[in-house]
Amino acid sequence: MTVSLMNNTVANDQNTAASSNIVYETKQMNLWYGANHALKNIDMKIMENEVTAIIGPSGCGKSTYIKTLNRMVELVPSVKTSGEILYRERNIFDKDYRVEELRTRVGMVFQKPNPFPKSIYDNIAYGPRIHGIKNKKILDEIVEKSLRGAAIWDEVKDRLNENAYGISGGQQQRICIARALAIEPDVILMDEPTSALDPISTLKVEELVQELKKDYSIIIVTHNMQQASRISDKTAFFLNGEVVEFDKTDSIFSNPADKRTEDYISGRFG
Ligand SMILES: Nc1ncnc2c1ncn2[C@@H]1O[C@H](COP(=O)(O)OP(=O)(O)O)[C@@H](O)[C@H]1O
Ligand SMILES: [Mg+2]
């Protein structure tokens, strides 16, 4: 497969634990924004080919946590961390860990669709081009495969040269998912990817997430508890920067172990 050419070296380098099905392991991880202790002693194991949902009230640290997984959070100058996050058994906080490699393995989709002001084609070809792929035929293949993977090929195949701003918000979000797929990631992080979408587009993205977990590991922040219960295998309930409970989604929603989880999922706060 042509697409995998671009990150073979990275996969060989960092996928030493090919047999392990733990993708990420967070161990006693803390994060501060200046004096604000935003994540406290986080312990989590994220498994391969699962959808892991992160729920919890506004400000509890959900976005901070997933932005830590690809080290995007360190763009904020006041950030300090402690503990470990192992990605494929290597601590991403290690001084010699190459963040560029991590970014080629971990794609991210944001709350508001954020396509580039470029054609649909160029949005998808952007990452592969950065990785040095220039061959038009190979790029064509990557673009088609990624758009198919994001379940939007049929809708845009005749308008690949149109600006991505010209399509609906729901379509733009699937373009952003296709853009993430184009680098052949291992993990896809999604931060409330449907909160700006209408119900039909939301359903399409939810179906897509279910489809994508066959090939990827997905971590999705969602405000919507029905969504978490519909699409995830595991759910973590965050509160004030702590993981109150992390378990199989069925257990979290039908038989939560912690009173605070029960109060939250039954709508008593948040
Ligand atoms: N860039 C930032 N600089 C300083 N503090 C931040 C920043 N982003 C988030 N925070 C703080 O970290 C805490 C967690 O925020 P966030 O991770 O965005 O929560 P959530 O996604 O659950 O709503 C909040 O107290 C928030 O104010
Ligand atoms: Mg958030």
Side-chain angles (χ1 to χ4, degrees):
M1 201 171 306
T2 44
V3 184
S4 59
L5 284 175
M6 78 185 103
N7 48 33
N8 264 351
T9 45
V10 174
N12 290 340
D13 203 34
Q14 299 206 337
N15 263 1
T16 45
S19 58
S20 161
N21 58 353
I22 299 172
V23 182
Y24 272 110
E25 184 167 2
T26 305
K27 293 184 180 174
Q28 287 294 298
M29 195 268 283
N30 287 273
L31 183 143
W32 294 263
Y33 292 106
N36 180 2
H37 195 178
L39 293 174
K40 299 168 191 160
N41 299 320
I42 308 288
D43 281 310
M44 301 230 304
K45 282 188 185 136
I46 308 284
M47 308 305 285
E48 200 168 81
N49 299 112
E50 285 192 350
V51 176
T52 304
I54 298 177
I55 62 169
S58 198
C60 68
K62 305 180 295 298
S63 297
T64 298
Y65 180 65
I66 67 164
K67 282 190 288 187
T68 308
L69 296 176
N70 68 352
R71 285 188 34 188
M72 223 178 98
V73 77
E74 67 194 39
L75 299 172
V76 180
S78 64
V79 161
K80 292 217 163 42
T81 57
S82 71
E84 295 183 349
I85 296 184
L86 306 183
Y87 167 64
R88 300 289 183 186
E89 297 191 329
R90 285 185 52 201
N91 186 7
I92 66 170
F93 294 149
D94 275 351
K95 278 196 197 68
D96 60 353
Y97 196 94
R98 289 179 52 211
V99 70
E100 304 76 28
E101 292 181 4
L102 185 67
R103 303 264 165 81
T104 67
R105 306 299 296 141
V106 181
M108 184 145 179
V109 177
F110 297 85
Q111 182 164 2
K112 224 172 132 265
N114 60 346
F116 304 129
K118 295 170 178 288
S119 71
I120 292 169
Y121 185 99
D122 287 343
N123 263 273
I124 313 304
Y126 183 85
R129 280 179 176 139
I130 284 184
H131 292 107
I133 297 180
K134 297 193 183 87
N135 183 300
K136 171 87 165 74
K137 192 159 161 285
I138 293 176
L139 285 174
D140 286 354
E141 279 172 24
I142 293 172
V143 168
E144 176 169 346
K145 182 170 178 248
S146 306
L147 290 168
R148 283 191 190 279
I152 191 164
W153 172 250
D154 290 336
E155 289 162 64
V156 300
K157 65 174 189 278
D158 300 322
R159 16 190 333 201
L160 295 179
N161 295 320
E162 286 176 30
N163 196 292
Y165 283 180
I167 56 180
S168 76
Q171 289 174 322
Q172 287 181 14
Q173 194 61 308
R174 280 176 291 142
I175 293 292
C176 294
I177 293 171
R179 187 175 65 191
L181 298 183
I183 59 158
E184 280 223 325
D186 178 28
V187 181
I188 306 173
L189 309 175
M190 298 180 158
D191 194 353
E192 305 201 33
T194 64
S195 64
L197 305 185
D198 62 81
I200 290 171
S201 302
T202 295
L203 196 66
K204 283 192 177 149
V205 171
E206 287 186 6
E207 285 169 359
L208 178 56
V209 168
Q210 296 280 277
E211 198 55 39
L212 292 173
K213 78 169 186 180
K214 292 173 192 154
D215 298 313
Y216 308 92
S217 308
I218 297 172
I219 304 166
I220 181 170
V221 169
T222 176
H223 236 85
N224 180 329
M225 286 184 271
Q226 285 74 28
Q227 178 167 78
S229 70
R230 277 194 298 266
I231 69 174
S232 69
D233 301 289
K234 302 264 175 63
T235 296
F237 170 53
F238 277 52
L239 186 64
N240 298 325
E242 287 177 67
V243 179
V244 170
E245 197 167 341
F246 179 38
D247 206 340
K248 292 203 175 78
T249 296
D250 288 346
S251 308
I252 293 277
F253 287 97
S254 63
N255 191 20
D258 193 293
K259 176 80 168 57
R260 292 167 295 173
T261 315
E262 189 182 337
D263 287 349
Y264 183 69
I265 63 172
S266 58
R268 272 189 274 265
F269 69 94

